[in-house]
Every structure is written in structure tokens, then in C-alpha cells.
Amino acid sequence: MDPKSIMPTYKRLDVEFARGKGVWLYDTEGKRYLDALAGIAVCGLGHAHPAVTRAIQQQAAQLLHTSNVYGITRQRELAERLVALSGMDNVFFGNSGAEANECAIKIARMYGHGRGIEKPAIVVMENSFHGRTLATLSATGSRKVQAGFEPLVSGFVRARYGDLDELQSIARNNTSIVAVLFEPIQGESGVRVAPPGYLEGVRELCDRHDWLMMLDEVQTGNGRTGRLFAFQHTGVMPDVLSTAKGLGNGVPIGVCLAHGKAAGVFHAGNHGSTFGGNPLACAAGLAVLDTIVADDLCGNAERMGARLIDGLRARLAGLKGVIEVRGRGLMVGVELREPCPELMQAALERGLLINVTADSVIRLLPPLIIGAQEIDQIVTTLGELIEARESTPASPG
Ligand SMILES: *Cc1c(COP(=O)(O)O)cnc(C)c1O
């Protein structure tokens, strides 16, 4: 489908969208689709949200970009808003999730050197995803992401996700550890929710060993799980927090927030970004956060997420091909027994946009503005598609 002029790094579905409104996308033929993916957790406010449109139109007419060698009002405003809403102390602005995590990794290393550790190491998890840059793919727990790009960046120690005992044993045996980096819910590897008490347990270990607790909320952040950040379901705070995807509703932005001792690590010249924190991206971020708060989209995500999970569990109960429905808020996975990548095309034909990740997990990340009727439509359509698989022999992906 791609012309020779585009590097073939993506397997694409044969559809192209001309416009969107709310939870709906319209293809070039005018056919309507219910968007249960939101550009992979990006368009939380849905498509063409008037608050975002207005904010970026006004900002574009006024000033797009200057430079981080000057003051930037919108950047200060967004930093203040992020700090107030998260409880963190300060912010670094980049342009993507990978960049936000690069910043976190650099903070951890510099923090370690400050403690006199010559080769600081960061604990990362099996089946994690942190991005496609060299450092973040090295942190990622997927051979598929890493293969062909060796030598990997060193300084990462792998642990089983959710296993506090293993973290404890790493603490006993490795004095070079300076931080733990993980997702509160692993997204790309199939919507795997951390077991209850895991964040609290990691927090305790980090305090005991003077490690930084670093959360990758690139996907779980910005209201997705029913709180602005997933850690806010718990009583603990991270030292470092990265987020991106949903913050700009489609305008590229990634941020790394720091708290306490982590907030004092960087000084002038330690890190930078040409585009990071430019007025346009920050205007979008401000409009997104203001709308999430004003319209209680976290509350809606929590309610609609519960309706989606309950609805799917009821509809899929007893189907032999279904292992589990899981997730939190509007980050939902349906794990099947068999690989099911062909479901993306089958759903597309039925006017529903979904994603399949880790071969056999249907991933649903609809806009946070979604209503009950549309949730029920997702349940109905998916129910029929999954049920149809039960009666037909497994098709090649
Ligand atoms: C998507 C994602 C990233 C990478 O973000 P990019 O903007 O694609 O660089 C990192 N971590 C998590 C948890 C993600 O879901």
C-alpha cells in the first residue's frame, strides 16, 4: 500500500480517513467508523474537538515556535498545570513518548553518578514497551523490537513484571541499581495490569535502597485509566513520570516529570530539545488538560470503562476461545487463545476500529468522551466477531 518513497516499517490496513468528529472517523468514501483505538490512546478528546482546534488555531495565528533559549509563556502555563494535577515538582518537554523516557533514563543515570555509582543500572520489566530509540528499545522487554539493532545500550537489568520478590533479590545482589522503570499497565504487550499492591511495594523498595521509582505513563496517562495518571489510583508517588500520547490529542508532545530528589538532578546544558515545549504543542496540551478536568473525562473513562469491561465479560462468557477480559478505565484488552490479527480487518469491515497487540490480545483504547450507546456497540460488534471465530477453523493471520 505504501509507495516506494516511504520506508516499509508499518503493516497498514487498506483504509484512509478523510475527517473525524468525536468518536467517529470517515474514510475517503464517506463510510463511518466507530474509533475504539483513538490513534493508539492519542485522541482522548476524540477527533476535531473544538477546544483543541480553537487553541491551536489561535496559537498558530500568534506564534508557533521561538526557542528554549527564550521564555515561553504557554510552556510555563502547561508546566504549572501538569505539576498541580500530578503532584510532581517539575517538567522537561520533548515531543514523543520515547523522548520522555530518554529523559527519565538520563535523569536516573545522572542521579546514580551523583551517588558515586560508576555504572548505574536501571531495572526494567519483561514484556515492557518504552519506545524505539536505542536507549528505549534497549529498555523494552521485547526481542522483536530489539532484533537487528545490537549492540544494545547497556545498563538495564530485566525483572518479571509484578514480581516484588525478584526485585528484592536484585536489590540484594546488585549495588549498581539506581532506578526501576515500568508501566502501571503494560500496553503494547497486551494490557497487563500490575497486581494489586505492586506500585506500593516498588515504592517501598525504592525508598529503602535509594532508587528512583520511574513510571512510564506514556499510554496510561492523561485520563486513560480513569485517573489523570494511573498512579493516582494508589496512595504512592513516583520520582519520575513520563507521559505523551494523549496529552496533545494528536499534536506531538512528550513530557518527563520529576519529584523530590529527582527534580534537582538536571542543570543547564544537561538535556535539551529544539521543538520540545513549543507554544503550539503546549497550547494543545493545555486545552486537553483543561477539557479533561472541566468535563470530568476521568470520571467518564472510569464509568464507560467499567461498562465496556462488564459488557464484554457478560457477552463473551462461556466462549472457549476467550481467555480473559482485563484492563482499567478505557484501556481494555481481550485475550484470545489463538492469534487474531485478522480481527482488525474484520472489525474494519464492520465499521469498528480496534487494535490487536501481542498477536492474540484485542486492545481497545476509545476516546475518553465516548458514551454508553457507543460502548454497547463495541460490545455487540466484538461479541459477534469473536463468536464467529469459534465456529470457523482458525484462519491464517
Ligand atoms: C507508545 C509508548 C511509548 C513510545 O511513545 P512514542 O511517542 O511512540 O515514542 C513508550 N512507552 C509506552 C508505555 C508507550 O505506550
Side-chain angles (χ1 to χ4, degrees), residues 45-375:
L45 273 51
H47 301 281
H49 193 285
V52 178
T53 304
R54 202 180 318 116
I56 61 183
Q57 278 177 344
Q58 283 175 358
Q59 191 57 54
Q62 191 184 334
L63 191 63
L64 278 182
H65 176 86
T66 54
S67 166
N68 282 309
V69 304
Y70 311 114
I72 301 174
T73 307
R74 288 279 172 275
Q75 188 182 115
R76 280 198 303 275
E77 288 172 349
L78 181 55
E80 294 294 332
R81 200 73 48 95
L82 281 165
V83 159
L85 291 170
S86 66
M88 304 295 282
D89 289 328
N90 56 18
V91 187
F92 176 84
F93 288 95
N95 311 285
S96 66
E99 282 174 77
N101 287 329
E102 285 277 343
C103 179
I105 292 164
K106 286 179 72 173
I107 289 175
R109 285 188 167 194
M110 189 160 266
Y111 170 75
H113 285 293
R115 288 182 46 200
I117 295 169
E118 212 170 295
K119 291 189 170 167
I122 300 168
V123 181
V124 289
M125 302 299 158
E126 288 174 5
N127 300 312
S128 61
F129 182 80
H130 298 298
R132 300 284 196 157
T133 62
L134 273 176
T136 57
L137 77 83
S138 300
T140 290
S142 157
R143 277 304 298 157
K144 235 161 113 177
V145 170
Q146 296 173 341
F149 301 112
E150 298 81 0
L152 301 181
V153 173
S154 62
F156 295 106
V157 173
R158 191 82 47 199
R160 263 187 311 278
Y161 185 60
D163 187 341
L164 285 172
D165 291 339
E166 187 176 7
L167 279 185
Q168 236 140 22
S169 103
I170 290 171
R172 276 192 300 275
N173 299 313
N174 191 332
T175 54
S176 301
I177 304 294
V178 296
V180 184
L181 170 65
F182 67 101
E183 303 151 83
I185 301 174
Q186 292 187 326
E188 298 305 300
S189 68
V191 191
R192 296 169 196 279
V193 185
Y198 186 63
L199 270 72
E200 292 85 346
V202 174
R203 178 71 270 171
E204 217 176 274
L205 262 166
C206 287
D207 289 339
R208 191 168 339 131
H209 299 284
D210 218 356
W211 298 347
L212 298 180
M213 176 172 167
M214 309 204 297
L215 291 181
D216 178 347
E217 294 226 33
V218 170
Q219 192 163 150
T220 55
N222 310 298
R224 179 54 49 192
T225 72
R227 296 285 185 279
L228 191 63
F229 295 102
F231 80 83
Q232 292 171 325
H233 288 287
T234 74
V236 302
M237 288 276 303
D239 301 299
V240 176
L241 173 70
S242 60
T243 195
K245 290 193 166 89
L247 183 55
N249 211 58
V251 179
I253 183 168
V255 298
C256 180
L257 296 111
H259 181 244
K261 56 197 171 186
V265 170
F266 279 167
H267 296 98
N270 287 146
H271 198 33
S273 166
T274 296
F275 294 130
N278 74 58
L280 184 77
C282 291
L286 277 164
V288 167
L289 291 179
D290 284 349
T291 305
I292 288 176
V293 172
D295 296 353
D296 186 28
L297 294 184
C298 291
N300 194 62
E302 185 159 51
R303 287 186 296 276
M304 291 301 120
R307 187 181 182 100
L308 180 57
I309 291 173
D310 293 348
L312 285 170
R313 282 183 181 154
R315 179 63 180 80
L316 303 176
L319 294 187
K320 284 193 298 292
V322 179
I323 294 179
E324 190 184 28
V325 178
R326 59 182 177 242
R328 191 146 203 189
L330 287 169
M331 183 167 181
V332 176
V334 182
E335 184 171 9
L336 302 189
R337 234 166 267 288
E338 305 285 338
C340 57
E342 79 286 352
L343 274 180
M344 286 190 278
Q345 177 64 34
L348 182 79
E349 285 162 17
R350 299 281 307 269
L352 175 66
L353 303 178
I354 61 166
N355 177 241
V356 172
T357 190
D359 288 337
S360 58
V361 181
I362 300 163
R363 180 169 50 161
L364 305 170
L365 300 162
L368 311 180
I369 55 160
I370 196 166
Q373 218 183 326
E374 293 129 12
I375 290 286

